Amino acid sequence: MNSGAQTVFIVDDDASILKAISRLLGADGIPVATFDSARSFLAAYHGAARGCVLLDVTMPGLNGIELQDALNARNCALPVIFLTGNGDIPTTVQAMKHGAIDFLTKPVDGVTLLATVRQAFAQEAAGRAQNAELALLKARLESLTPREREVLGHVIAGRLNKQIADTLGTTEKTVKVHRARVMEKMQAASIAELVRLAGRAGVVPAA
Amino acid sequence: MNSSWITISWSAVAACCLTVGLTYALIWFRRPGWIAHLAFAIAAVSAAAVATGELALMHAQTPQEFGTVMRWIHVPIFTLVVASVAFVRLYLGGGSLWLAGGACALRLAALVLNFHLEPNLNFSEITALEQVPLFGGETVAIAVGTVRPATRIGELSSLLFLLFVAHATFQFWRRADREEKRDGLLVGASFALFVIIAAGHAALLHAGLVRTPYMISAPFVLVVLAMACKLSSDMARSMRMSEQLKAREAELQLNRQRIESAAAAAQSAIWEWDIASNQVWITEQGRELFGFPHDEVITLPRFQATLHPDDRARIREAVAQSLIDGQTFEREFRIVPAPGRMRWVATRGMVDIDGDGKPLRMRGLSIDVTERKRNQESIGMLAAIVKSSTEAIIGQDLNGIVSSWNAGAETIFGFAADEMIGHPVSRLIPPDLQPEEKELLRRVLRGERVEHYETTRSRKDGTLFAVSVSLSPILSSGGRIIAASEIVRDISERKLADAALRESESRFRAMADSAPVMIWMTGRDKLFTFFNQAWLDFTGRQIEREIGDGWFEGIHRDDLTACLETFGRAFDGRCQFTMEYRLRRADGAYRWVLDTGAPRLSPDGTFLGYIGSCLDITGRRRSAELLQQERAYLRQVIDVDPNLIFAKDRSGRFTLANQAVADVYGTTVDNIVGKTDAELNPNAAEVERFRHVDLQVMDTLKEQFIAEETITTAAGKVLWLQTVKRPIVDEQGVAIQVLGSATDITQRKRAEFELAAQRNELAHLARVAMLGELSGSLAHELNQPLMAILANAQAAQRFLARQDVNLDEVREILQDIVNDDKRAGEVISGLRLLLRKGEMMRQPLDVNLVVSDVLRLMRSDLLNSNVIANIELMAGLPPGQADRVQLQQVLINLVANACEAMSAVDHPARQMIVRTSLTIDGEICVSVSDMGPGISAQDLNRLFDPFFTTKQHGLGLGLAVCRTIIDGQGGRLWATNNTTCGASFHFTLPVAAMEAA
């Protein structure tokens, strides 16, 4: 499985559909990979894959919805687009709840399909950028000492140095040093930015 | 001009030649065939030219002038010689060609040399001109110089010319007749003289022996004069000939007229057939006879066309024979001058032949001999009649001398013709009757006829016999009595027969009177002449009251009309009759009598009247009446029976039919008896079927039961019958008839049809409901190919929008679109079939294929239900007999039920088995097994009841309809629980009957 360019992974048990959609997307220069069953896709799937998944609902063995669940279980970041010959409401609701980007009914117009694929690509790219920033913040957060971490929690809670020193049972001066260290390690220029970054990294303000 | 006699003379010569020459040229111009005239014309004109040249020579001033003129004078000399040779040759028709050719060739050589030499052929040089004085004081120029030896060539030519003329004249002289001889001699002599003088003089001149100018043209005048002389004599002769010709023609015309009038007077046609032109000239009389229009040109084929077809070949042959041997043609034949008319023609023709014996023409005469022919024919016929007559026909003259004696007379009298002709007829008459005979003859001579006079004659052997004599006078064409004919018929046998008859009649009466039956007789006039004693005893009346038509009084009033009618009709037709009527007996009671009559004929076949006998049949008649009543009663019984009752004989004719049959065929019972089904039933197939079974019953002597058959009524309605047919056997055990009884089961059949229709309707409704339930997965089946088509099409649009179109790729896409479209079409047609509302149509089909089709159609349903279908189809399964749609319906139902049964089961265990097999009874069996919870014992009984369902939303009709369907196909549907888990549904289908190959 290519992990370079964004690719549409098409899973459908109907060979002629696989061929036709591959052609349609390929004509617009979109890379495509086809799989004739859910199992063969799962076997080939790895976390580095980029792009989106185009899933048929009705398939022998594992059906589309079950495949979506399996991918979710693996923390798959690929957006899922469903393509079905017969979209009943319960199935649609379930699929959307489980994070599908769209639920298209066959026969779907090429323009719609391409637009949906492009939307999925954009979403996947955005998600990926967000994840990278978060990882950076987490790394910075990791570099803090436990004491600095404690101080950070109180700082973003909006406490003054004196209050923090009281709470921690230390001097105001020590707190000031810790605070400066935190600001440096987190690469925050101001308290406001520190608060935002901490929020992004999931740091909960101290009680 | 004081000195011009030379000029005048030579000019005259030239003019003379020119005049005659041009005259001949003119003649030639009119008759281009006469080339001799042309030749002479050229010669004469050449001579005129020579004369002109000679004049110029005489008046030449210088030697050069003389030489030049002399040189040019050779040209007309050449033409003169050649034309003269040609003329002599043509005119005299002879002469050596060697001499002629030689003369011409030498002359040509002279001419050629002449133009190569200076100054000319004759002189090598001309030194001076000497003026020679002539009388009258005139001078002419003569050349002085050296004569060339080549001059001899011209002279030699002239010599050869002379010899040629002499030779030709000689030959002509010997050949020609007297008158021609003169002309030939004139021509020959004039030419010869001309050559001798002209050439001789020139030769002397060249030798220097005479001193004169050239004189060639002057002697030609001799020739010209001879030719002019000949011309005038020719003219005189031709005038004479034309006069003769005219006279001849006038004579011919006169002759023809004479012949025509002679022919007309002789009622004959004169004709002449010109063989070369194949045309026929015929006189007016002839045209009338043969039916040719007045102005028609008659050709031989036209002439032949008038011949009677039967005579054509014969006459053509005879004519051809005459043409070959030159013999006179003489035939009588028939012609058809106009459609429907026929004439006899006697024709005599003679052939004219030319010198080589070739036939030129045929001339002859035809006379209408129709009258004669007819007379001959009728005379021949009369003679034949007289000859073949069995009666004696005797001709006698006024004195009673026999003049003719036919074969009949020979037989009757025993005298041969030569024994009697010339002898007195009184030899045949017994002496005592001689006066009577004389009296008869006298009456005839007075012009009377004596008819059927019965008297006695004597034969040659002296025996006397009874005769009937008829005598009549024979008149001449002038109406005078010239003889008598006597027809004698031997009536001795008739006389004997009459006597015998009289005797037998009295014998008959005696017998009839003693007979125990009543006997009557009539005369030829329908009137009754005789009743025997038995009759008179019966009626108790006198014979006088009975004869004539008196006995009619005894006939019962009610029977009289029928009686008279029967009797009258039989009598007029001279045929036998039988009738029954009531006749009053002496005691006043009416008794039934059976009266049988037949015509009475004499031995020679003459009708004498009727004879008949009567029997009292009153007793018999009673029992017949009872029988009749019984019959009528039975008749009523079978007519009341609503079943069709009938009997037919071997030929298929109805011998019995009741009212029910008559009603079906829309006619009466009486009209059916004696007819066949084919005459009553318009449906040939039915008639054929009836006949087939009828014959089978009669041939096998076995009763047959036909559970269902149709009959088409007169109104065109089709009735359903259940029929029993049984053979009727005669004493010998042979089936002679078939007796049938048929029940009208149309009502029952209609109810059956209605039931089937309702069943079909129900099946259709169930199908529609079922498909409604399946619609989700069916839509998926349809949308799959549509998706592929749309995507492919749009991909293709994108490819085509590019700069570098890859056509191979587009082609591949189009092929995929086609395939997917077909796939979608198959799905739709499958659905449409299922949704269609139609009558059941059982046909042979591959059950395995139907199973595969159904599972393919239900693929998405199976997928949605997560059911895996295992298909176990038996290879080599024979075709089943079923309705495809209904079979599919049952299968879909069972498969859908199986899926639903397993919906509660854990996913990987959802397996279904669809199996086809052959039962031990040879039926096709289809089973659908699931792995669901199975069927409880109490449900198993009610499973196929309508409105029984275990489903929440089910109608409870599916399985009930399935069972109805399978029953309708002649199979069974049942359910079993599997040994391990789940349930199975099975159904059977009959195997399609193999077509007898």
Side-chain angles (χ1 to χ4, degrees):
Chain A
M1 187 178 275
N2 188 359
S3 57
Q6 282 188 311
T7 306
V8 179
F9 301 102
I10 313 172
V11 187
D12 198 313
D13 61 324
D14 192 324
S16 64
I17 296 250
L18 284 180
K19 202 169 165 190
I21 294 179
S22 301
R23 271 193 194 121
L24 181 63
L25 298 176
D28 261 26
I30 298 170
V32 169
T34 60
F35 304 91
D36 63 356
S37 71
R39 290 192 193 289
S40 64
F41 177 65
L42 280 178
Y45 174 73
H46 57 82
R50 297 188 55 204
C52 69
V53 186
L54 192 59
L55 267 185
D56 184 18
V57 177
T58 317
M59 280 188 291
L62 227 50
N63 69 26
I65 301 291
E66 286 163 342
L67 177 58
Q68 186 189 22
D69 290 345
L71 287 175
N72 283 345
R74 286 205 204 177
N75 273 329
C76 172
L78 297 175
V80 172
I81 305 166
F82 274 102
L83 200 54
T84 177
N86 175 36
D88 56 309
I89 292 163
T91 317
T92 316
V93 169
Q94 197 192 353
M96 296 308 283
K97 261 189 189 165
H98 288 220
I101 275 208
D102 210 339
F103 199 91
L104 301 174
T105 307
K106 292 176 189 171
V108 66
D109 185 72
V111 177
T112 312
L113 181 63
L114 284 166
T116 313
V117 164
R118 296 225 181 273
Q119 190 199 331
F121 275 2
Q123 189 180 319
E124 194 257 358
R128 194 168 286 278
Q130 214 172 1
N131 283 352
E133 195 191 18
L134 207 61
L136 200 64
L137 278 178
K138 284 204 172 144
R140 287 181 198 160
L141 212 56
E142 295 291 311
S143 67
L144 297 184
T145 63
R147 198 58 173 182
E148 287 165 350
R149 191 86 184 255
E150 255 179 312
V151 171
L152 176 63
H154 289 291
V155 171
I156 60 170
R159 291 202 177 99
L160 299 173
N161 286 351
K162 196 175 175 180
Q163 286 172 310
I164 300 169
D166 282 354
T167 311
L168 294 179
T170 183
T171 64
E172 195 183 343
K173 197 169 178 179
T174 311
V175 171
K176 209 173 173 180
V177 172
H178 279 305
R179 186 177 179 144
R181 280 264 181 83
V182 169
M183 291 288 276
E184 188 191 345
K185 279 187 178 172
M186 290 303 283
Q187 296 180 12
S190 66
I191 291 296
E193 192 180 0
L194 184 69
V195 171
R196 189 179 59 84
L197 290 175
R200 290 267 296 272
V203 180
V204 183
Chain B
M1 188 83 98
N2 55 350
S3 60
S4 62
W5 69 266
I6 286 284
T7 308
I8 291 167
S9 313
W10 256 257
S11 297
V13 165
C16 181
C17 291
L18 215 51
T19 307
V20 176
L22 288 177
T23 307
Y24 271 80
L26 207 61
I27 292 169
W28 168 78
F29 189 70
R30 290 270 171 83
R31 300 283 166 108
W34 294 2
I35 300 172
H37 283 63
L38 177 66
F40 180 75
I42 293 170
V45 172
S46 302
V50 172
T52 316
E54 283 170 350
L55 200 60
L57 279 180
M58 284 187 260
H59 291 148
Q61 299 300 317
T62 61
Q64 286 76 24
E65 191 188 345
F66 190 95
T68 308
V69 171
M70 189 148 180
R71 194 177 203 187
W72 281 105
I73 218 165
H74 275 276
V75 176
I77 288 175
F78 170 74
T79 55
L80 173 65
V81 169
V82 172
S84 299
V85 166
F87 172 74
V88 169
R89 168 82 196 165
L90 287 168
Y91 186 86
L92 296 179
S96 164
L97 279 177
W98 284 108
L99 292 174
C104 292
L106 283 174
R107 188 43 70 187
L108 184 65
L111 186 68
V112 173
L113 273 175
N114 173 50
F115 279 95
H116 276 90
L117 301 170
E118 274 298 329
N120 55 38
L121 176 78
N122 306 82
F123 292 92
S124 48
E125 62 172 342
I126 299 171
T127 48
L129 288 182
E130 185 185 344
Q131 294 293 330
V132 180
L134 294 179
F135 61 88
E138 221 169 324
T139 55
V140 291
I142 294 172
V144 179
T146 327
V147 172
R148 231 190 265 278
T151 305
R152 303 287 169 253
I153 294 173
E155 286 166 3
L156 198 56
S157 164
S158 301
L159 186 64
L160 287 180
F161 182 30
L162 180 64
L163 289 173
F164 168 70
V165 170
H167 184 232
T169 309
F170 179 66
Q171 275 187 342
F172 185 78
W173 180 266
R174 284 179 52 180
R175 197 179 57 235
D177 63 21
R178 216 169 50 132
E179 197 169 339
E180 284 175 340
K181 266 179 186 159
R182 208 183 58 204
D183 280 355
L185 196 62
L186 192 66
V187 170
S190 63
F191 268 95
L193 220 54
F194 155 63
V195 178
I196 291 167
I197 295 171
H201 177 254
L204 292 176
L205 209 64
H206 290 145
L209 296 176
V210 292
R211 290 170 53 77
T212 60
Y214 280 101
M215 282 198 307
I216 294 166
S217 58
F220 194 76
V221 172
L222 283 173
V223 176
V224 166
L225 286 177
M227 288 312 290
C229 182
K230 197 181 106 26
L231 197 63
S232 66
S233 79
D234 279 355
M235 259 168 69
R237 195 160 57 200
S238 70
M239 272 168 69
R240 205 164 57 235
M241 270 168 72
S242 87
E243 270 165 20
Q244 277 172 358
L245 205 63
K246 264 184 202 155
R248 189 92 52 84
E249 264 174 14
E251 198 178 341
L252 207 63
Q253 192 61 33
L254 196 66
N255 276 343
R256 196 164 274 187
Q257 278 168 4
R258 270 190 204 136
I259 288 169
E260 289 231 12
S261 49
Q267 296 284 308
S268 57
I270 292 172
W271 46 262
E272 190 176 306
W273 165 38
D274 187 65
I275 292 166
S277 66
N278 226 354
Q279 282 200 1
V280 178
W281 169 86
I282 187 161
T283 57
E284 275 310 310
Q285 188 81 20
R287 283 178 181 273
E288 216 165 277
L289 175 60
F290 284 92
F292 298 133
H294 171 71
D295 47 0
E296 189 184 338
V297 176
I298 320 278
T299 58
L300 189 67
R302 171 76 178 90
F303 196 84
Q304 284 170 337
T306 62
L307 294 181
H308 191 281
D310 292 352
D311 290 346
R312 249 173 236 170
R314 176 169 74 89
I315 296 306
R316 199 174 302 147
E317 237 167 66
V319 169
Q321 187 58 39
S322 294
L323 291 183
I324 291 166
D325 57 19
Q327 294 290 310
T328 301
F329 165 86
E330 199 159 9
R331 287 284 186 286
E332 285 184 1
F333 52 85
R334 285 162 292 179
I335 57 168
V336 184
R341 272 188 64 206
M342 198 269 281
R343 310 293 297 170
W344 273 95
V345 173
T347 294
R348 206 180 137 85
M350 277 171 302
V351 183
D352 287 352
I353 51 171
D354 67 3
D356 304 336
K358 241 177 68 185
L360 277 177
R361 68 183 80 81
M362 195 167 192
R363 285 175 300 155
L365 185 94
S366 295
I367 300 171
D368 184 351
V369 294
T370 313
E371 278 311 310
R372 198 190 80 210
K373 270 282 183 191
R374 288 213 180 121
N375 287 340
Q376 268 177 7
E377 272 169 19
S378 65
I379 287 167
M381 208 158 72
L382 286 173
I385 291 169
V386 168
K387 205 170 158 196
S388 62
S389 173
T390 51
E391 294 173 352
I393 299 171
I394 304 160
Q396 52 183 297
D397 64 13
L398 298 179
N399 301 318
I401 303 299
V402 174
S403 58
S404 75
W405 186 259
N406 74 340
E410 287 185 357
T411 317
I412 289 175
F413 290 98
F415 286 108
D418 51 356
E419 284 175 292
M420 278 309 293
I421 291 174
H423 295 276
V425 77
S426 53
R427 270 175 86 176
L428 307 170
I429 300 160
D432 52 326
L433 292 175
Q434 293 282 352
E436 179 197 278
E437 172 68 15
K438 284 213 171 72
E439 174 55 32
L440 286 178
L441 195 60
R442 241 195 318 277
R443 276 169 61 189
V444 168
L445 295 185
R446 281 205 301 272
E448 285 178 40
R449 288 168 64 91
V450 177
E451 305 238 357
H452 303 298
Y453 181 83
E454 293 192 5
T455 178
T456 309
R457 287 283 185 269
S458 97
R459 294 202 182 88
K460 186 181 180 186
D461 58 9
T463 53
L464 299 181
F465 63 106
V467 293
S468 159
V469 177
S470 299
L471 278 159
S472 54
I474 297 175
L475 304 178
S476 74
S477 50
R480 220 155 43 80
I481 296 171
I482 50 168
S485 82
E486 181 173 347
I487 299 174
V488 183
R489 186 187 294 162
D490 182 348
I491 57 168
S492 49
E493 274 173 20
R494 204 190 79 201
K495 287 265 178 198
L496 282 175
D498 283 353
L501 189 67
R502 269 194 297 278
E503 195 189 322
S504 84
E505 249 176 34
S506 62
R507 250 201 321 249
F508 165 75
R509 269 164 209 272
M511 203 179 72
D513 278 345
S514 58
V517 293
M518 301 186 279
I519 294 171
W520 52 261
M521 275 202 297
T522 74
R524 280 181 236 186
D525 47 6
K526 276 192 202 173
L527 290 178
F528 286 73
T529 55
F530 172 77
F531 293 93
N532 73 345
Q533 199 54 49
W535 177 286
L536 298 173
D537 289 348
F538 181 90
T539 58
R541 283 152 59 104
Q542 297 296 313
I543 189 156
E544 291 77 15
R545 294 194 57 189
E546 296 285 66
I547 56 171
D549 47 13
W551 72 279
F552 291 160
E553 291 165 14
I555 300 175
H556 193 284
R557 215 183 16 220
D558 294 350
D559 298 339
L560 184 60
T561 322
C563 231
L564 291 178
E565 218 168 80
T566 310
F567 174 66
R569 211 172 32 238
F571 198 101
D572 294 337
R574 302 280 188 263
C575 44
Q576 289 198 352
F577 68 88
T578 308
M579 55 186 181
E580 286 176 21
Y581 53 92
R582 279 160 289 182
L583 187 67
R584 196 171 56 209
R585 208 163 52 180
D587 59 3
Y590 281 99
R591 303 288 293 174
W592 279 100
V593 294
L594 174 71
D595 195 339
T596 313
R600 232 156 26 99
L601 301 173
S602 73
D604 59 354
T606 26
F607 174 69
L608 302 172
Y610 262 71
I611 181 165
S613 62
C614 289
L615 271 177
D616 184 343
I617 54 158
T618 311
R620 221 167 71 191
R621 193 153 169 102
R622 282 263 155 76
S623 58
E625 255 167 27
L626 274 177
L627 213 63
Q628 188 59 40
Q629 273 171 19
E630 217 166 286
R631 273 174 71 105
Y633 173 70
L634 281 174
R635 183 78 231 172
Q636 276 182 7
V637 169
I638 72 160
D639 278 347
V640 166
D641 194 333
N643 288 341
L644 280 66
I645 299 171
F646 55 85
K648 295 178 217 168
D649 62 13
R650 274 202 166 270
S651 59
R653 294 189 186 287
F654 280 97
T655 54
L656 171 83
N658 69 345
Q659 192 56 44
V661 178
D663 289 347
V664 165
Y665 278 148
T667 178
T668 62
V669 170
D670 291 338
N671 193 35
I672 288 181
V673 172
K675 291 218 169 91
T676 62
D677 280 306
E679 290 168 82
L680 299 160
N681 189 338
N683 185 331
E686 269 173 15
V687 170
E688 178 61 32
R689 203 180 59 229
F690 292 159
R691 179 94 183 115
H692 180 72
V693 176
D694 289 348
L695 287 175
Q696 224 172 34
V697 167
M698 284 187 276
D699 290 344
T700 59
L701 292 177
K702 269 191 200 140
E703 185 179 300
Q704 281 210 16
F705 174 73
I706 302 121
E708 282 177 3
E709 62 176 349
T710 58
I711 187 166
T712 307
T713 69
K717 233 173 79 182
V718 175
L719 297 182
W720 284 87
L721 299 177
Q722 190 170 69
T723 310
V724 181
K725 288 185 177 175
R726 177 177 298 171
I728 303 178
V729 178
D730 68 1
E731 299 86 18
Q732 276 85 43
V734 177
I736 45 162
Q737 290 188 35
V738 59
L739 179 69
S741 169
T743 311
D744 183 348
I745 55 164
T746 311
Q747 289 296 332
R748 197 185 86 201
K749 281 301 283 189
R750 192 170 298 143
E752 275 177 23
F753 281 136
E754 272 164 21
L755 191 67
Q758 279 169 7
R759 231 186 251 161
N760 280 337
E761 182 72 14
L762 185 65
H764 177 247
L765 284 176
R767 219 151 56 221
V768 171
M770 181 186 78
L771 287 172
E773 283 173 32
L774 288 177
S775 65
S777 46
L778 292 175
H780 183 259
E781 275 313 290
L782 200 55
N783 284 333
Q784 279 305 91
L786 290 180
M787 175 73 233
I789 290 169
L790 185 61
N792 269 324
Q794 289 184 328
Q797 282 176 337
R798 282 177 159 73
F799 283 134
L800 288 171
R802 281 184 190 164
Q803 287 292 315
D804 52 339
V805 181
N806 183 350
L807 280 179
D808 283 339
E809 179 131 36
V810 173
R811 208 166 284 133
E812 203 183 315
I813 289 174
L814 287 176
Q815 186 54 50
D816 285 350
I817 288 177
V818 168
N819 292 343
D820 282 318
D821 191 75
K822 277 184 188 160
R823 202 171 120 201
E826 277 164 21
V827 173
I828 289 172
S829 67
L831 285 178
R832 198 162 47 198
L833 210 63
L834 279 168
L835 282 170
R836 204 175 56 192
K837 190 168 161 184
E839 283 193 9
M840 193 175 80
M841 221 170 69
R842 293 180 62 192
Q843 58 192 15
L845 44 78
D846 183 348
V847 176
N848 285 346
L849 197 66
V850 176
V851 170
S852 313
D853 282 350
V854 164
L855 288 172
R856 199 160 58 225
L857 194 67
M858 296 190 71
R859 195 187 70 105
S860 353
D861 214 47
L862 293 171
L863 286 175
N864 284 336
S865 317
N866 275 314
V867 170
I868 295 166
N870 296 306
I871 308 174
E872 297 175 10
L873 301 177
M874 182 184 166
L877 196 67
Q881 181 79 7
D883 179 79
R884 181 183 298 275
V885 172
Q886 296 195 351
L887 179 57
Q888 284 180 344
Q889 180 177 359
V890 170
L891 276 166
I892 290 170
N893 243 303
L894 296 183
V895 168
N897 280 352
C899 289
E900 206 159 327
M902 289 189 286
S903 56
V905 177
D906 255 357
H907 179 210
R910 289 182 193 167
Q911 302 240 338
M912 180 178 65
I913 303 171
V914 184
R915 186 184 289 129
T916 59
S917 59
L918 212 55
T919 68
I920 45 168
D921 298 332
E923 287 175 314
I924 293 167
C925 183
V926 182
S927 307
V928 179
S929 307
D930 62 53
M931 295 191 173
I935 307 160
S936 68
Q938 80 244 32
D939 287 351
L940 207 54
N941 294 325
R942 302 189 293 141
L943 206 53
F944 297 102
D945 292 348
F947 306 114
F948 171 80
T949 183
T950 56
K951 300 178 197 170
Q952 271 192 334
H953 304 292
L955 257 179
L957 275 177
L959 283 175
V961 170
C962 284
R963 178 165 268 184
T964 320
I965 289 174
I966 295 298
D967 284 351
Q969 316 274 347
R972 289 167 296 124
L973 170 63
W974 72 99
T976 56
N977 272 317
N978 297 338
T979 44
T980 48
C981 65
S984 295
F985 283 81
H986 319 269
F987 65 87
T988 59
L989 289 174
V991 170
M994 294 297 281
E995 289 287 325

